[in-house]
């Protein structure tokens, strides 16, 4: 079985376990089988413990950004030091990651593809190559696909708007010129605008226990 099929199946199972579709391909499977995976998934009882509920919410946030546990924990510790509500700050900081914004702008179809674009050195920030997906974009910075990469098929597909049908509405904190494969982070995102599904207070409670 090809690696991509394996990856798709894993994402579908994870989507069903977490209760939300994580990729466009997972959507149709998720709609047909919205219960958790496994033979007892349909009959599984919903009286989960408080700990299980909080853990699941944390896992949902992790999965939507494709993060390792240590990465999410670091972001939480930073959010806790900010003079805002910790949960809201956490999502806002995660949303300013370069890979997350490359996805939101429509340069990729999934967070995994957006991360690959960054790590394979296709992305410029203020004219310089940045290959760290975790790089935090600052308001005012301009992100674009480097000229040589713009002529390749994946980016030509993106420039034609092919991913916009499966992505959320473009948030107001981004100014995107898709044809030129370029965007600017206009300002810091606000939690209410960020298109992730998460009860952030449960994540805060999980880490604060």
């Amino acid at each position: 079985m090809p690696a991509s099929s394996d990856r798709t199946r894993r994402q579908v199972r994870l989507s069903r376990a977490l209760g939300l579709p994580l990729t466009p391909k997972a959507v149709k499977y998720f709609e047909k089988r919205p219960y958790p995976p496994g033979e007892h998934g349909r009959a599984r009882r919903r009286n989960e413990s408080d700990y299980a509920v909080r853990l699941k919410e944390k896992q949902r946030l992790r999965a939507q950004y494709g993060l390792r546990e240590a990465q999410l924990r670091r972001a939480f510790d930073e959010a806790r030091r900010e003079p805002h509500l910790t949960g809201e700050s956490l999502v806002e900081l995660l949303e300013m990651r370069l890979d997350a914004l490359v996805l939101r702008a429509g340069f990729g179809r999934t967070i995994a593809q957006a991360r690959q674009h960054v790590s394979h050195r296709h992305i410029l920030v203020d004219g310089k190559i940045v290959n760290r997906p975790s790089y935090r974009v600052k308001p005012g910075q301009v992100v674009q696909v480097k000229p040589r990469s713009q002529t390749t098929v994946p980016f030509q597909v993106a420039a034609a708007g092919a991913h916009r049908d499966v992505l959320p509405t473009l948030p107001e904190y981004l100014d995107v010129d898709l044809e030129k494969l370029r965007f600017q982070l206009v300002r810091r995102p606000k939690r209410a605008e960020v298109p992730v599904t998460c009860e952030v207070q449960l994540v805060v409670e999980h880490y604060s226990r």
Side-chain angles (χ1 to χ4, degrees), residues 101-102 104-107 143 164 170-186:
L101 293 177
V102 165
R104 297 286 177 249
F107 294 2
V143 178
R164 287 262 40 109
L170 192 66
E172 290 187 7
Y173 45 86
L174 286 182
D175 179 15
V176 179
D177 186 337
L178 200 51
E179 285 186 18
K180 293 183 179 175
L181 292 167
R182 172 190 181 284
F183 70 83
Q184 182 178 42
L185 179 62
V186 179

Side-chain angles (χ1 to χ4, degrees), residues 4 38 40 43 59 61 78 81 90 92 98 110-112 114 120 123 142 153 171 174 183-184 193:
S4 60
H40 302 299
Q59 301 289 52
L61 182 60
E78 184 176 353
R81 294 193 293 270
L90 173 60
E92 291 164 9
L98 181 56
T110 64
I111 190 67
H120 288 187
I123 304 296
V142 174
V153 172
L174 286 182
F183 70 83
Q184 182 178 42
E193 304 171 289

Side-chain angles (χ1 to χ4, degrees), residues 61 64-65 87-96 100-101 104 168-173 187-198 200:
L61 182 60
Q64 288 171 88
Y65 283 104
E88 294 188 1
S89 284
L90 173 60
V91 173
E92 291 164 9
L93 292 173
L94 293 176
E95 186 66 9
M96 288 189 286
L101 293 177
R104 297 286 177 249
T169 304
L170 192 66
E172 290 187 7
Y173 45 86
R187 55 172 170 76
R188 177 172 168 139
K190 296 173 185 168
R191 165 62 189 113
E193 304 171 289
V194 178
V196 298
T197 303
C198 181
V200 289

Side-chain angles (χ1 to χ4, degrees), residues 56 69 93 127 161 192:
K56 184 175 182 178
E69 174 61 29
L93 292 173

Side-chain angles (χ1 to χ4, degrees), residues 150-167:
Q150 289 186 19
T151 59
T152 62
V153 172
F155 289 112
Q156 287 292 297
V157 168
H163 305 322
R164 287 262 40 109
D165 60 327
V166 298
L167 294 173

